[in-house]
Amino acid sequence: VGVINVVSEIMNVLIGFIVSVYVLFSKELFSGQCKKIVYALMKPDHANMTLHITKKSNEIFGGFIIGKIIDSAIIGVLCFIALSIMKMPYTLIVSVIVGVTNVIPFFGPYIGAIPSTILIMIAEPIQGLYFVILILQQIDGNIIGPKILGDSTGLSAFWVVFSILLGGGLFGFVGMIMGVPTFAVLYYIAQMFINQKLERKKLPTSSERYGSESYVNDEGEFIECEEKGE
């Protein structure tokens, strides 16, 4: 049964690889066909809006996936270098675990650190190992991770954490990974809708201009006031 399962998985991987090659080879044709169908079924303004959102969603998801791959690769390499310098056991296995679990935004490094620490401490209980992994987590969580995720999705750190918690609570492991780009797409759509409403009312769209002292008068004019110092 084990041999049959292994062969079946290998066949699935090969079939998936072959299909992906054909899909990538004909992606321009598929894109044109989908675009033709959208224009045939929708009004021009609705069709253009749908295509714009689809293109933006592709950019967000693509940027997020590439960003997480780069982020995870950096953390895996840093972990391998640090453990090799300190001559820790299971260096390669631990580096792979840390790199793979790092795909989960924010919480991934902590998930990978727990089994890695247990694995190494079984062979050689060195307290300094936990410190090294903790330092790597802090570098990823506070410097590398937010920089890459922020650039690829356009979300602030708060919304990144919020989307991870929401996606994980609703859909588990898959939700923790895909929650950030999905929320980024919804955030972009809501932002675009709000900005269009503001532009029709001839109001500024920048959030920074809506300070505590700024307001809109009864005639619909935006009054921008600087905050008074104490």
Side-chain angles (χ1 to χ4, degrees):
V1 174
V3 173
I4 293 176
N5 290 334
V6 171
V7 174
S8 176
E9 292 297 329
I10 294 176
M11 290 297 298
N12 291 335
V13 172
L14 292 177
I15 293 174
F17 178 77
I18 295 173
V19 172
S20 65
V21 171
Y22 278 101
V23 171
L24 292 175
F25 183 76
S26 304
K27 63 179 182 179
E28 288 81 7
L29 176 61
F30 294 151
S31 176
Q33 290 174 341
C34 293
K35 197 171 184 179
K36 179 177 67 175
I37 293 174
V38 170
Y39 279 117
L41 299 178
M42 297 182 179
K43 295 180 180 179
D45 55 341
H46 293 167
N48 290 329
M49 179 62 66
T50 301
L51 293 174
H52 173 72
I53 294 176
T54 303
K55 183 179 180 180
K56 188 64 179 181
S57 301
N58 178 63
E59 293 177 357
I60 293 175
F61 273 86
F64 174 81
I65 293 174
I66 295 175
K68 286 307 300 179
I69 291 176
I70 295 175
D71 182 30
S72 300
I74 292 174
I75 294 302
V77 172
L78 290 177
C79 181
F80 180 81
I81 294 174
L83 296 182
S84 298
I85 294 175
M86 300 185 67
K87 298 181 179 179
M88 296 290 179
Y90 307 114
T91 301
L92 182 60
I93 297 177
V94 171
S95 301
V96 172
I97 293 175
V98 172
V100 171
T101 55
N102 191 70
V103 174
I104 301 176
F106 193 79
F107 300 103
Y110 299 94
I111 297 175
I114 295 175
S116 300
T117 303
I118 295 175
L119 179 64
I120 295 182
M121 292 188 68
I122 290 177
E124 187 175 351
I126 302 176
Q127 296 298 330
L129 174 64
Y130 180 78
F131 176 76
V132 172
I133 296 181
L134 182 61
I135 292 299
L136 290 175
Q137 293 172 17
Q138 294 302 316
I139 293 176
D140 174 63
N142 297 324
I143 300 177
I144 301 176
K147 178 62 178 177
I148 295 177
L149 291 180
D151 293 342
S152 61
T153 62
L155 295 177
S156 63
F158 170 79
W159 290 118
V160 170
V161 176
F162 175 81
S163 59
I164 295 170
L165 294 176
L166 180 63
L170 295 176
F171 304 104
F173 179 79
V174 177
M176 296 182 71
I177 298 177
M178 304 307 296
V180 175
T182 302
F183 184 84
V185 172
L186 297 177
Y187 184 89
Y188 176 79
I189 295 174
Q191 185 182 45
M192 183 173 58
F193 176 78
I194 296 298
N195 289 342
Q196 287 180 348
K197 292 291 186 180
L198 291 173
E199 289 174 355
R200 291 176 183 176
K201 296 181 179 180
K202 297 181 179 180
L203 297 175
T205 58
S206 176
S207 301
E208 287 75 12
R209 298 187 62 182
Y210 290 88
S212 59
E213 301 295 331
S214 301
Y215 66 97
V216 178
N217 60 19
D218 296 337
E219 288 75 22
E221 298 177 350
F222 180 76
I223 307 300
E224 185 175 8
C225 302
E226 297 181 357
E227 297 183 4
K228 298 179 180 180
E230 296 182 358

